[in-house]
Amino acid sequence: MENQITNVNEYEAIAKQKLPKMVYDFYASGAEDQWTLKENRDAFSRILFRPRILIDVSKVDMTTRILGFKISMPIMIAPTGMQKLAHPQGECAIARAASAANTIMTLSTMSNYSFEEVASTGPGIRFFQLYMFKDRNLVTQLVRRAERAGFKAVVLTADRPFIGRREADIKNGFRLPPNMTLKNFEGLDFGEKNKAGSSVSQTRRHIDPSLNWKDVKWLQTITSLPIVVKGVLTAEDARIAVQAGVAGIIVSNHGARQLDYVPAPIMVLEEIVKAVEGRIGVFVDGGISRGTDVYKALALGASSVFIGRAVVFSLAAEGEGGVRKVLKMLRDELQLTMALCGSPSLKHISRHHIFTRFPSNL
């Protein structure tokens, strides 16, 4: 009898065995010393439960609404680039798995399958993650294609004016194989003779380091889709996001891939939730690999969570079936955690169900 996979974390070891070193390192590594990469996971261990007893949990309801869309659980799929490196079906497999689980998938700008190809996999609620490029005409073209393909929101990544220093990628000379392209750029005008999407490095050179809050306002003028800003780590920026009229924010440090020695998102989540005062949705990603992690994030005020690495590792290990299993495992673990903490629905999860051992000066 084969060893049965019993938790999400076990998929990483399988992915490491199956993937070329360059690809595994690209997905798994963080910036510089990778302190934040470790901290993203470790921070959850400093949050403990205060379970309540003798509460009827014979039925546990995990359904929720995100930007008006009803989903089965407060667990969504984060944007991760170049998923065909993990599995030939890449983003299309993940889209099908998300749809089957009745949750939201976010497609990366740097995807190997296009908006149209992902949309053709069938019905589903999908968001589009956008990098702001120097050529605003290119941005407009991307957003228009996302709209036509039925995507429901734009997730603007705001924490990558320049790419972080990922030393594993430098050592490995990371690059896309010649038979893979960034499909969302095919047929678009980069404003130069070179073909759009011909290389990762070329596309990265077009990302605009001058991106600022005025550009968020500009983005609102070219689309009626709700805009979510990804990469918020301070209460100050959360307040500005509210003033800018965005629909939501994602508390995120880009999977610890940008600036090392920033706090884990879960550590700053509560102060950001307080700053927002319920005026917009607050989501969080980073280090989430258990249903208990999801519950802790919800108890600190998150509307929902996003998962990233767990998805690509399970995709590498078992394709679409692996992603389905990851979503089911996290769902089952969250359901059990809610029951054992005395929370029959998401509205019954509160700050009173946990206590933290975080440093008081953060």
Side-chain angles (χ1 to χ4, degrees):
M1 181 176 174
E2 294 184 14
N3 291 333
Q4 183 179 359
I5 295 174
T6 56
N7 65 74
V8 166
N9 292 314
E10 291 176 355
Y11 275 113
E12 181 171 356
I14 299 171
K16 188 174 184 179
Q17 290 179 341
K18 295 187 74 168
L19 292 173
K21 184 178 187 300
M22 180 184 74
V23 175
Y24 170 77
D25 286 350
F26 168 71
Y27 288 134
S29 63
E32 297 186 345
D33 297 325
Q34 302 189 106
W35 180 88
T36 295
L37 182 67
K38 184 174 183 294
E39 177 65 3
N40 276 5
R41 181 86 235 33
D42 291 349
F44 282 98
S45 68
R46 298 194 291 276
I47 306 171
L48 304 181
F49 293 120
R50 300 180 69 248
R52 301 299 305 275
I53 60 170
L54 297 178
I55 294 170
D56 182 357
V57 288
S58 56
K59 293 181 181 178
V60 174
D61 181 11
M62 291 178 286
T63 60
T64 188
R65 286 190 177 273
I66 302 299
L67 305 185
F69 300 101
K70 187 175 181 180
I71 57 176
S72 66
M73 58 184 172
I75 302 167
M76 305 182 290
I77 295 180
T80 51
M82 297 172 273
Q83 293 169 359
K84 202 171 181 180
L85 288 169
H87 188 276
Q89 294 180 15
E91 291 85 2
C92 289
I94 290 176
R96 289 191 295 267
S99 180
N102 189 22
T103 192
I104 293 167
M105 174 226 188
T106 313
L107 183 72
S108 170
T109 294
M110 313 287 272
S111 60
N112 296 130
Y113 283 93
S114 68
F115 301 113
E116 296 81 7
E117 288 170 322
V118 170
S120 72
T121 63
I125 306 164
R126 294 164 190 132
F127 294 170
F128 165 50
Q129 175 270 326
L130 172 69
Y131 288 116
M132 187 64 74
F133 294 96
K134 297 172 187 175
D135 182 351
R136 296 299 190 264
N137 179 55
L138 175 62
V139 174
T140 301
Q141 291 177 76
L142 288 168
V143 172
R144 293 281 181 268
R145 279 183 65 190
E147 289 173 336
R148 288 195 297 269
F151 285 68
K152 302 302 184 184
V154 175
V155 176
L156 176 65
T157 292
D159 61 357
R160 199 178 122 162
F162 297 96
I163 190 170
R165 184 177 175 83
R166 301 163 201 164
E167 295 177 1
D169 287 352
I170 296 170
K171 289 177 180 178
N172 294 331
F174 174 78
R175 63 197 179 281
L176 267 181
N179 63 331
M180 289 188 195
T181 59
L182 303 177
K183 292 294 288 290
N184 285 327
F185 296 102
E186 289 185 353
L188 298 187
D189 179 15
F190 258 87
E192 60 180 49
K193 292 181 181 178
N194 293 330
K195 257 184 106 175
S198 60
S199 74
V200 175
S201 60
Q202 180 200 5
T203 305
R204 285 172 174 170
R205 285 198 301 272
H206 288 273
I207 293 175
D208 190 355
S210 76
L211 174 65
N212 60 73
W213 288 105
K214 291 180 181 177
D215 296 306
V216 176
K217 286 294 187 183
W218 171 81
L219 189 57
Q220 290 168 333
T221 69
I222 69 163
T223 183
S224 60
L225 294 178
I227 295 167
V228 177
V229 173
K230 180 176 182 286
V232 176
L233 284 175
T234 64
E236 295 92 328
D237 283 336
R239 292 189 191 99
I240 296 172
V242 172
Q243 294 165 4
V246 302
I249 56 176
I250 303 176
V251 183
S252 172
N253 58 29
H254 210 109
R257 294 165 67 80
Q258 283 296 96
L259 179 64
D260 205 8
Y261 297 99
V262 296
I266 195 69
M267 292 194 70
V268 295
L269 173 61
E270 188 170 24
E271 72 168 68
I272 289 171
V273 168
K274 288 178 180 177
V276 164
E277 297 179 326
R279 290 173 287 180
I280 59 175
V282 179
F283 315 110
V284 66
D285 68 15
I288 295 163
S289 62
R290 285 281 191 184
T292 50
D293 299 336
V294 179
Y295 187 100
K296 291 171 183 180
L298 298 175
L300 287 169
S303 305
S304 182
V305 307
F306 284 92
I307 57 170
R309 284 186 175 93
V311 171
V312 291
F313 289 146
S314 62
L315 178 69
E318 295 183 348
E320 179 184 338
V323 181
R324 289 187 181 223
K325 288 178 186 176
V326 156
L327 292 171
K328 185 178 186 305
M329 279 191 283
L330 289 175
R331 176 189 173 86
D332 290 348
E333 288 178 3
L334 174 59
Q335 185 177 43
L336 180 61
T337 305
M338 289 174 65
L340 295 179
C341 283
S343 303
S345 71
L346 299 185
K347 69 180 180 182
H348 291 99
I349 300 174
S350 76
R351 185 63 172 81
H352 298 293
H353 286 99
I354 58 169
F355 66 93
T356 59
R357 297 182 290 128
F358 291 166
S360 59
N361 63 338
L362 263 178

